Amino acid sequence: MAQRADSVTTRFGIAAAALVVAAVLLAFIGIATRVQPGAGLAPGDWAAIRFTVVQSVLSAVLSVLLAIPLARALARRQFMGRGVLVTLLGAPFILPVIVAVLGLVTVFGRSGWLNTGLAMVGLPGVSIYGLHGVVLAHVFFNLPLATRLLLQGWQTIPAERFRLAAQLRLTPESLFRTLEWPLLKQIVPGVAALVFVICLTSFAVALTLGGGPSATTVELAIYQAFKFDFDLGRAASLAVVQLVLAGGAALIALSVIPAISIGGGIDRPVQRWDAESGLQRSLDIGIIVLSALFLLLPLGAVVLRGLAGLGQVPVSVWHAAGTSVYVATISVVVLGLLALPMAGWIASRRTGGVEAIGLLGLSASPLMIGTGWFILINPLADPVQLALPVTALVNALMAMPFALRIMVPRLRDTVQDYGRLGESLGMRGWPLWRWLILPRLRAQIGFAAGLTGALSVGDLGVIALFADPDRATLPLQMYRLMGAYRMEAAAGAALILLVLALGVFWICDKGGRWHAEA
């Protein structure tokens, strides 16, 4: 297996990849049957396209520009709690979008903490709704991601380079031009492209903080055409636009994301002699404190407001919470059945080109897939009755790219290290997975399952298209409470959703690492 793929692994891997391609292709076929050639797009649709691109560009640029000084400060400073802060930078990724939006509204909203403070000193308030609100929320979600990616790059600079720079008495400006700027030129385009793609397919943020003719994304326009007008032809046309936009951007992102290579070292601990002056130290501390406040205050607001609102949570919220757990469980199972054989197939190949199949989830948005499947299912059965299974399947597809990126490197190392031994012992098929691969992949499987479960619990996408008033997941039920201006009950639901998402992630991740090798 070290040199060639195990036949069983190949067979199941190809079958899983074929199912993923078929799921996306069927959605596209469904959309294609409703597209009206020559019908063109309405002025409102073009406005949605412009807004989608503009907010994505602004979100990507601001996220990366703010992440550079934060990553640099974290790379230069060692302090108590640094590890916890870096770990918390990953929290927004699994945080349900609707929960984060409620936290942002509590801090930056019309009656939020910021506007209350501004009113006390006689300054005019700010509004969180519209373009700036959408961009603010996207920066909240993507600033930690960009910081983590940049910080990883910074940590690849060998310690010997900084030692040599100190011996040459390079000024901080010279050190930045010599060591850090070349690194940034390699990483920043790819990070910005990744954030741009993520923001292109954003739906829940635009649904809650955008809306209206001047602040509608393509995803939101699909939802409005589908849900309010039931104009499947327009929804299909917009879905094609979204596929071209997101798919093209994803291809560009893949082409500009470079392999980070800054030169070899001898793996000594990095010690920084630059930025030891009081001004530079103060600047780094100020950047870290302000960034931590920006990221942690909304989470603290959710907890405080949620505790106060728990008593006003209706029974329907608890029913919706059970539904969300049910959907997340199906998503995790489906992901495991598809991602594991695909990862095995990819890891046993010399080239990783087939991994692009798993990235279809990044280019085909949930609403695009949901629209296509609705069009196909509608003549045959009631789509509402299939709302939960369809939501779970789409959530699994959306998590596929991340799961493959988590599992493939470890699986490839296992194949290279133990493949010849397994082959010499005649281990193939299920025995190979049972005794050799799965025990060494437990931690990665648990992490991928936790990520999938948390994302599925907090998803507000396809379920918004399919669900009826009597069938809702917890994010949708929370959105309905916000729409009915029952903000205290919504805050209580947000706290429950936050605990559920973090709990699902912790159980899966901890379970995977329990007695695991790594």
Side-chain angles (χ1 to χ4, degrees):
M1 188 170 172
Q3 302 299 325
R4 58 189 176 83
D6 176 87
S7 59
V8 176
T9 300
T10 301
R11 194 163 58 246
F12 281 98
I14 293 175
L19 287 175
V20 171
V21 173
V24 179
L25 194 60
L26 282 174
F28 185 76
I29 291 173
I31 290 170
T33 61
R34 291 303 183 106
V35 172
Q36 301 171 350
L41 298 173
D45 299 333
W46 285 109
I49 295 171
R50 283 193 298 273
F51 180 81
T52 301
V53 174
V54 168
Q55 64 85 14
S56 298
V57 170
L58 289 176
S59 300
V61 170
L62 286 175
S63 297
V64 173
L65 286 181
L66 293 174
I68 290 174
L70 177 57
R72 192 183 191 213
L74 288 172
R76 295 199 299 193
R77 303 295 167 196
Q78 297 294 329
F79 53 89
M80 185 179 296
R82 179 182 178 278
V84 175
L85 179 59
V86 173
T87 301
L88 285 176
L89 288 177
F93 193 72
I94 60 172
L95 186 69
V97 175
I98 192 77
V99 172
V101 167
L102 186 66
L104 290 170
V105 169
T106 303
V107 176
F108 300 101
R110 190 170 302 159
S111 302
W113 299 351
L114 176 64
N115 279 330
T116 302
L118 292 174
M120 290 175 66
V121 296
L123 293 175
V126 296
S127 172
I128 196 176
Y129 298 100
L131 174 63
H132 43 285
V134 172
V135 173
L136 175 72
H138 284 160
V139 171
F140 174 81
F141 282 107
N142 294 300
L143 171 61
L145 173 65
T147 302
R148 289 285 292 265
L149 293 174
L150 290 172
L151 185 59
Q152 286 178 8
W154 238 294
Q155 291 171 339
T156 62
I157 301 178
E160 294 76 21
R161 301 286 180 91
F162 291 107
R163 182 182 296 276
L164 179 61
Q167 291 171 343
L168 295 175
R169 298 184 183 280
L170 293 184
T171 63
E173 293 76 17
S174 299
L175 186 142
F176 178 80
R177 287 197 304 271
T178 306
L179 291 183
E180 296 173 320
W181 177 241
L183 174 79
L184 290 176
K185 285 198 296 185
Q186 288 187 54
I187 303 177
V188 164
V191 175
L194 179 62
V195 175
F196 179 77
V197 172
I198 292 174
C199 295
L200 273 182
T201 57
S202 173
F203 169 68
V205 168
L207 180 66
T208 49
L209 298 178
S214 61
T216 297
T217 61
V218 176
E219 290 277 284
L220 186 55
I222 294 172
Y223 171 75
Q224 291 169 343
F226 191 100
K227 198 72 176 179
F228 301 142
D229 306 329
F230 201 64
D231 187 346
L232 295 181
R234 179 170 169 249
S237 299
L238 288 167
V240 172
V241 171
Q242 180 68 8
L243 179 64
V244 172
L245 269 179
L251 289 176
I252 293 173
L254 286 174
S255 65
V256 300
I257 294 176
I260 300 171
S261 176
I262 201 71
I266 55 177
D267 296 332
R268 286 179 176 169
V270 175
Q271 184 176 353
R272 302 289 297 263
W273 288 271
D274 59 308
E276 291 185 341
S277 72
L279 176 61
Q280 290 166 334
R281 186 183 300 275
S282 300
L283 278 176
D284 284 349
I285 293 174
I287 290 169
I288 292 172
V289 169
L290 287 176
S291 302
L293 287 175
F294 173 65
L295 296 173
L296 298 181
L297 272 180
L299 298 181
V302 168
V303 174
L304 291 176
R305 197 172 178 183
L307 288 173
L310 274 179
Q312 300 183 38
V313 167
V315 176
S316 58
V317 166
W318 297 105
H319 291 160
T323 303
S324 288
V325 173
Y326 167 71
V327 170
T329 303
I330 296 178
S331 296
V332 169
V333 172
V334 171
L335 179 91
L337 293 175
L338 293 177
L340 273 173
M342 280 186 68
W345 181 42
I346 293 169
S348 59
R349 291 175 60 88
R350 293 182 184 277
T351 60
V354 293
E355 192 173 347
I357 296 173
L359 300 179
L360 286 174
L362 284 179
S363 57
S365 71
L367 286 192
M368 192 218 87
I369 296 178
T371 302
W373 284 7
F374 185 97
I375 293 171
L376 289 177
I377 294 172
N378 196 34
L380 306 173
D382 183 4
V384 173
Q385 300 299 321
L386 300 174
L388 300 181
V390 169
T391 301
L393 291 174
V394 173
N395 288 342
L397 288 179
M398 295 301 108
M400 182 71 72
F402 307 106
L404 291 179
R405 295 303 300 167
I406 292 168
M407 290 191 286
V408 167
R410 175 64 170 164
L411 217 160
R412 185 171 284 135
D413 289 344
T414 302
V415 168
Q416 290 176 350
D417 294 341
Y418 300 98
R420 287 184 183 278
L421 176 62
E423 194 166 309
S424 66
L425 295 175
M427 295 174 66
R428 302 180 67 82
W430 171 242
L432 181 71
W433 281 83
R434 169 68 181 85
W435 298 109
L436 182 64
I437 295 177
L438 290 180
R440 288 165 178 78
L441 205 64
R442 281 180 49 189
Q444 287 72 27
I445 293 173
F447 182 59
L451 198 62
T452 304
L455 292 176
S456 186
V457 162
D459 177 68
L460 178 60
V462 177
I463 189 66
L465 284 181
F466 281 72
D468 60 7
D470 300 325
R471 188 178 285 104
T473 58
L474 186 49
L476 182 58
Q477 188 62 31
M478 181 186 158
Y479 173 70
R480 288 172 177 171
L481 290 172
M482 292 173 69
Y485 297 101
R486 298 178 61 183
M487 298 306 291
E488 297 309 317
L495 181 59
I496 297 170
L497 182 54
L498 178 63
V499 172
L500 266 185
L502 296 180
V504 166
F505 176 80
W506 183 82
I507 290 172
C508 294
D509 185 47
K510 186 73 175 177
R513 287 186 287 111
W514 190 58
H515 286 181
E517 183 184 69

